Amino acid sequence: MSKFWGLAALVVGGIIIADLMTHPTGTKTAFNGVTGLEGNVGNQLLGSPTKG
């Protein structure tokens, strides 16, 4: 049964990588959003003023 889950994880990972490669604009936008959110959360935790 573990071989099935390993193969399923490999297929899902391949689909995710293929999606990232075929939609570079959306991928860039999503990563920019995550980076901005991470920066804001980090600044709030440290008590720094947020930028932007």
Side-chain angles (χ1 to χ4, degrees):
M1 193 61 146
S2 65
K3 289 182 182 181
F4 169 76
W5 290 114
L7 182 60
L10 186 63
V11 169
V12 169
I15 291 171
I16 290 171
I17 291 171
D19 185 50
L20 292 175
M21 292 177 70
T22 57
H23 300 98
T25 306
T27 302
K28 182 179 178 183
T29 302
F31 282 130
N32 286 342
V34 169
T35 303
L37 180 62
E38 180 184 359
N40 287 340
V41 171
N43 287 339
Q44 290 172 353
L45 287 173
L46 297 173
S48 302
T50 57
K51 297 177 183 175

